[in-house]
Amino acid sequence: MDLSAINPVLLLASLMVAATPIILAAIGELVVERAGVLNLGVEGMMITGAVCGFVAGVASGSPLLGFVAAALGGAAVSLLFGFLTQFLLSDQVPTGLALTLFCLGLSALIGQSYIGVKGPEVADIHIPLLADIPWLGPILFQHDAMVYVGLALVGAVWWFLHRSRAGLVLRAVGENHDAAHALGYHVVRVRLVAIMFGGACAGLGGGYLSLVRVPQWTEGMTAGIGWIALAIVVFASWRPGRVVMGAYLFGGVTVLQLNLQAAGVPVRVEYLSMAPYLATILVLVLLSRNRSARAPGALGRVFHASR
Amino acid sequence: MIRLEKRQSPARLWSVAAPLLAVALTMVAGGVLFALLGKDPLATIRTIFWDPLFGDFAFYYRPQLFIKGAPLVLIAIGLSLGFRAGIWNIGAEGQYIMGALAAAGVGLALYPLESAWIFPLMVLAGAIGGLLWAMIPALLKVRLGTNEILVSLMLVYVAEFTLASMALGLMKNPEGMGFPGSRNLSQYPSAANLEIIAGSGMHWGVVAALLAVVSAYVVLSRHMLGFSIRLSGQSPRAAAFAGVNAGALVVICMGLSGALAGLAGMFEVAGPAGRVSIDFNVGYGFTAIIVAFLGRLHPLGIVLAGGLMALTYIGGDIAQGSLGLPIASIQLFQGGLLFSLLAVDVMVNYRLRWAKRRII
């Protein structure tokens, strides 16, 4: 065992990369849940994004097109969920599960001839001046563009939810859909847009996994990250800023256990690999003490305009 | 403009017809999918749904129906109790693994002792293993209010890593020449889950599944617990006024489903699978969710749905071998089945009306 082999700068830098797919998926789901919809299909939408992004990236050779395809793929399958829950009024919990199970099969089918194929190169951005700062430069300013897109998205969502009129409507729909309906807002329309946004974000997160983080396509490669993103939304008590905190916490646990594996800590690899999942449970437990965290009022409830 | 009007009470006809219609719709969609994959749709559907039952080699495939169906039914029966009460145990796959590990641990520890007590002891260990694993999300929910969906699901991944560590470490066969995986329990007479009638596929897991179906039917229709479960699912508030202890119900439902999933894992590891290996679990715990819903959360329905889902596994294998059908398309088919059921289900609680003016 050689703990000195762990370089703290590299550790923190890879933490930001490891957290990015969780940030992307979680910020999308946060908007969906603020609109009062519980979509448990994040894992499914992520893996669809992963395969669509990878296939498009390989076919075109352009990572940008790959990410566009990933977002479109995630949004497309989220519409299945949207149609069932918003028009056919199905229960959101089983529908989200169905979406995940369906997408795991779909992605395996689409990706079967792409296993072992090499994806397109994604370049790191070297932000002038800032990247040259010792310590901070490599940690913060030498990443690929999606790391910054993820953070910008969190800022944009915060502004949208708390500073724009449309965000206020979305929150009203999520808190009390009957009241929002009575005020003349289109509950179903708002929710469908939110669901699609969530799907696109989860798709981007999945695309980030297959194009940057891994970078390869393997079946079931999301390995529960979509579910962890769902837990992060609960952890963040439905507030955008805290999503980043939660995602970095998990990025940190993931990266640390990978580094410990590499350093040859005398603990079986399998037990180290459990760490992110156990940390998720731990965080959910710790959070349960925080009584101020309150879910959106209409979360998970079926909306049927009877009048 | 079509709009939906809520029915006074769920339509009985539709609640039976919906799963049948969903299966029919999914078959049509599946046919389109197979055609897109360049296969003859009718021949593929016949290979999957007809040949295992009535084809030339049906004598070989029919026993498989029991072997694949038993764990699905066993797990789905347990899940259906919780689902009816609005308690979402999504981690049956993990409980299945932990049950198998607990049972295999007992069997391997006692090897090569021969005794009639070993098999019953393993059954007990399997049930307890699954039960304890399910108690983690159950107690966390009751004591601290954590979300049982996320906790039980996270524990699936933890269980998978535990399985890998056991197959590569503690339970590795000392005479296995370094290969991963435990001793073969099905070749250890006192621990083997053998067929009761040779060649029939009827092993003790099938017996356990049938017992679970009958017990669940009696509990749900005749016992106070069944009433509490149904009441809590329909109206938690009414259940609270009726004196139902919500916390106890969570523990009981999660515990029962965990124990049944653990049993399914036990019968699998001592019989058809035979040993603890890295790829021991094949997703029965997740497919059982589909079985539970497709069977309308009703014991008899679950038997039929379990049979159908087992058929897709067997037929999918045949179609993969003879027609080159990708196995992922079967997984897609199973997921699609749950989707179409949930879509058709709208007819159970609502009726369609032609609206004259547009209502948003």
Side-chain angles (χ1 to χ4, degrees), chain A residues 88 224 227 270-271 274 288 304, chain B residues 4 144 153 157 162 165 168:
Chain A
L88 299 180
W227 293 102
E270 291 84 14
Y271 294 121
M274 288 174 190
S288 65
H304 178 232
Chain B
L4 297 169
L144 301 165
L153 202 106
Y157 294 96
T162 311
S165 125
L168 299 169

Side-chain angles (χ1 to χ4, degrees), chain B residues 165-178:
Chain B
S165 125
M166 290 296 160
L168 299 169
L170 196 59
M171 292 190 186
K172 193 160 90 170
N173 185 356
E175 292 152 24
M177 293 182 290

